[in-house]
Amino acid sequence: MSPPQLLAPAPVERACRCAWAEASSATLDPAEQAALAALSQWLDEPELPYAILHGPRPGRRSVVAAHLVRSQHEGTAYAAQLVPLGPDLRLERDLIALLVSRLLADYVGGPPRRLRAKIAEEHLRVGPTEGEPSLLLAITDVEEAEPLVSWPALFSAVGPRVKVLATVEGDEAAARAWIPRLGFDPARTRILPLPSRPWPAPGDPAELLAAAGAVPARLLGLLSAAYGRLREDEITTALGAPIESALAGIEPLVTAVDGTYAFRWNAARREVEERLDSSARETSIRRLLSLAPDGYPCAYTRAHLEQAAAPLQAFAALVTEEHLARWMARPEGYLGFVADLERVRRRAVEALASGREAAALAVRAALVEASVNWCARREDHEAPVGVEPLDREEPIADERKQAKALIALGAAMAAGPARAEVLAWAEDAARRIPEAELRGDALVALAEAAGDDRGHALAREALAAYRDAADPVLPQLLSVGVLPPDEGVAVAREALASLRDGGGDPGDLDLFADRFPRAVAEALWADAEALPGPARARALAALAEVLGDPDHVRAAFAAVEQHADPYDPLAHRTLARLVPLLAVPEARRAAALAPRFGERAAELFEGLIPRLRALGDPAEDLLEALPEASRVRALARSLPFATEPGPLWARIDAALRRAEPLDRYGLLFDVGPWLGAAGESDALLALIAPLSDAHHLNALGFLARHDPAHAPELARRALPLALRLGADEPDRLLDLVPLARHFPPEGAAAVFGFLLDALAGDFRSAALAGDGVSLERLVPLIAALAGDEGLAGAAREVVQVAAWFP
């Protein structure tokens, strides 16, 4: 009986067909029948989802496993699947392709990491649904798999109707050593032995190798070093001899399937491998990797580089257009390429401790993977795993996002030629943005980063872009802060006049005034005083906030007081922006106005009380009128102005202790900025001690941003929690990225790796910017790990990958 048809790439399907034919048709001896009976009994033990069948090398553990699977095909209790590791199934990408083809009936494509997660979460941890048979996975010869297969990510938790059998070479100690590597639970694992079995005559590898001629011995060397089956033409090229002469005398060790050759048994391959000296093995690998680039080297170069611990630069050739083109012409297609990208990226992250150039390669691999994800189109759901054509016709480049990423990278660098080059790339991207207003926004950001004369030139260019926009008036105000003062004044006056005469709201000046230099704010004051009604109040309040002197604040408050309309949604905001600047008389008058704003009154009081206390007025009457949460916030905001903060802190502490732990947690974010600045972070954290690690992580990260004295310690305490909780929730790690300068190097690299995984797994135009993880948000982390060299390298990859995927 054959196992179900596989929707897997041809090499994977071929390996399974070959292994099944060899193993399931073999006749069991008495010891093997006893092992099969023990495994059948294990299937009836629901408390033991895991089993390991172990034994010495000549034992036929895979044969027993195949017979267990076959016995289930004849019944209805288990949907049994054989996963035979060996030729063409030693790499993780092949294992994932096989499991996907067996487990995901609704497969719609995706990179290996996403498929691995889907298998683990939806099919192994949950298990079959009601009405479906239980699931049995029999994985043979797990020691054949490459060392970096993510076993625990698959099997660390399986559902109640899932069984996983692994066969392992070695004694019971070897079997137990595999339990944590596979992610099995030791208390729920059955360990079963299989006695030794002699090599079948004439199949003893040692005897055949000793008697083999030079060419057959070289063929055995090639097959033992290869990660997959070799085609006949590849063998002929590598050996310089026809296959017939190469097979002379060693036929019992080798099996031929569809014009490809490999060892008949994994155990025989290992016997030969152990008898070859290192120079013979290295010679075999050189011959394999010198074959045609679109053949064996395309699929397995990465595995050989990892096995040889090659320098990182050697892996860069796997992140190229040429490598992608070769993969897309192979049966494994997209799946094979993105599997290479994932491993190269992770290797680069691991190498960060010894070289800053690794950051650029890690970024490149992530950007390329996200771009390929964007281009991959799953057109045929009946096609094998990985067979996904790339749609390169629809442009995916986004010049605005490129410019945004490049500006962020360049702005974080120290002045010098490298920074200038990165900002020049950003200029080029910004000028290619087709929408005039968005082009102006990017040029303004560049002007702010460039400064001085170059910044002024870019600001003028931005202004010209804004004037080409559909609604040019308000956007022009964004350029005021980066123009020379006299030009900024002229632009602002022109915009105000346009708003006033064109039916707009000149009070909208307040949306941009915080970007105005003082000279511009002073020059515009008279223009703002001439505005009508509420617009005058809004404009004057915004300009007074920039100017800050008492006369301007007093005049602005008089206008705000005159137009404090509780039904105007902007009036509350206008008053709030003046509160931190008011003198005592105006602050008391503002307190009399506050109740007009209903539910928003408490927010105004929370700003007024600290201002009054800073001016010597204790404002106890206002404090007592507030609900407790608002009172606690007002007291906390008053701490920086208290000559003796002790009594204030005592009142805050008493109120926090009266609250329930979750309420305290909410209040922590209200009072944290002020209590953190006062060095009270540990006291606040003690108040939420009963809460979860997730609550503590959020609190630690928040307080670290407001408690500079303790920020390094708080960030280091938050990091292990973030790494544990944030593997599947990148936002938890992103929240800590601004604190990256406080991370130890190994912790920063781990965060970088997790976040690049999230970025690479996304589907967006080169993953340069966007919601969630983006290159722009990773800038503090790249700077902490690799400095200006890393930032410049990442910028170079943005440019190159954007050109690769236009």
Side-chain angles (χ1 to χ4, degrees), residues 53 70 85 148 153 304 436 453 476 549 596 632 661 675 789:
L53 180 66
R70 188 173 71 174
L85 296 189
L148 298 180
H304 284 292
D453 292 342
Q476 292 182 59
D549 61 90
R596 295 188 190 182
V632 169
L675 293 177
E789 183 181 343

Side-chain angles (χ1 to χ4, degrees), residues 173-476:
R176 292 192 180 280
W178 269 98
I179 289 177
R181 293 178 65 184
L182 292 167
F184 291 1
D185 180 350
R188 300 195 298 153
T189 302
R190 171 78 72 207
I191 296 181
L192 299 168
L194 185 65
S196 175
R197 176 187 176 96
W199 290 104
D204 188 321
E207 295 178 2
L208 291 171
L209 184 60
V215 174
R218 289 204 303 273
L219 173 58
L220 290 177
L222 282 177
L223 295 179
S224 71
Y227 272 92
R229 306 183 70 88
L230 295 177
R231 301 195 312 261
E232 180 176 337
D233 62 315
E234 291 177 321
I235 291 173
T236 301
T237 300
L239 296 180
I243 193 69
E244 292 78 11
S245 63
L247 287 172
I250 62 170
E251 294 92 338
L253 295 182
V254 179
T255 178
V257 180
D258 298 345
T260 67
Y261 295 82
F263 278 95
R264 188 175 299 277
W265 313 290
N266 290 328
R269 187 196 66 77
R270 290 194 292 280
E271 286 281 338
V272 171
E273 183 180 42
E274 290 174 4
R275 283 170 170 77
L276 289 176
D277 60 42
S278 59
S279 63
R281 179 170 179 78
E282 289 170 5
T283 299
S284 293
I285 292 173
R286 282 197 300 272
R287 286 174 175 160
L288 291 170
L289 296 182
S290 65
L291 294 169
D294 58 348
Y296 180 92
C298 174
Y300 300 108
T301 290
R302 190 263 306 158
H304 284 292
L305 291 175
E306 286 180 344
Q307 184 183 52
L312 184 64
Q313 300 91 310
F315 291 84
L318 305 179
V319 195
T320 62
E321 292 185 75
E322 293 78 13
H323 193 55
L324 171 60
R326 287 191 288 265
W327 265 117
M328 295 309 294
R330 291 180 58 84
E332 304 94 327
Y334 162 88
L335 186 76
F337 181 64
V338 294
D340 277 357
L341 291 179
E342 181 180 1
R343 294 288 279 269
V344 170
R345 184 178 70 252
R346 292 184 178 179
R347 193 168 191 87
V349 170
E350 291 168 3
L352 278 169
S354 57
R356 293 184 164 190
E357 70 280 358
L361 182 57
V363 167
R364 178 176 179 82
L367 297 183
V368 170
E369 184 176 336
S371 300
V372 174
N373 289 340
W374 183 277
C375 292
R377 295 291 181 266
R378 183 69 173 167
E379 295 179 348
D380 181 1
H381 287 209
E382 298 301 316
V385 176
V387 180
E388 301 178 33
L390 295 187
D391 177 5
R392 300 295 295 272
E393 295 180 3
E394 181 180 346
I396 69 168
D398 187 320
E399 294 84 359
R400 175 171 171 257
K401 293 176 180 179
Q402 292 169 29
K404 193 174 183 183
L406 291 167
I407 292 167
L409 291 161
M413 297 172 65
R419 183 180 194 267
E421 183 177 34
V422 171
L423 292 180
W425 293 334
E427 283 185 38
D428 177 68
R431 292 193 180 100
R432 288 185 281 109
I433 298 172
E435 300 88 352
E437 185 173 337
L438 298 180
R439 185 165 66 252
D441 291 345
L443 290 167
V444 164
L446 267 169
E448 291 171 341
D452 299 330
D453 292 342
R454 184 65 196 141
H456 292 159
L458 289 165
R460 295 183 187 107
E461 194 174 344
L463 181 60
Y466 286 137
R467 286 174 171 164
D468 287 338
D471 185 7
V473 179
L474 284 176
Q476 292 182 59

Side-chain angles (χ1 to χ4, degrees), residues 637-724:
R637 293 174 67 175
S638 301
L639 277 171
F641 313 113
T643 53
E644 294 186 15
L648 275 183
W649 167 234
R651 292 172 70 179
I652 296 167
D653 183 61
L656 290 172
R657 290 182 185 281
R658 286 194 297 271
E660 293 296 322
L662 275 175
D663 294 329
R664 292 178 197 167
Y665 175 73
L667 285 169
L668 180 148
F669 294 93
D670 293 327
V671 304
W674 298 276
L675 293 177
E680 298 290 352
S681 292
D682 279 339
L684 286 173
L685 291 168
L687 290 171
I688 62 166
L691 299 181
S692 70
D693 285 350
H695 291 99
H696 279 266
L697 169 60
N698 293 338
L700 284 163
F702 180 78
L703 292 171
R705 288 189 283 275
H706 297 284
D707 186 349
H710 299 101
E713 175 198 350
L714 294 169
R716 284 192 292 269
R717 287 166 60 185
L719 184 58
L721 293 177
L723 289 171
R724 179 160 57 83

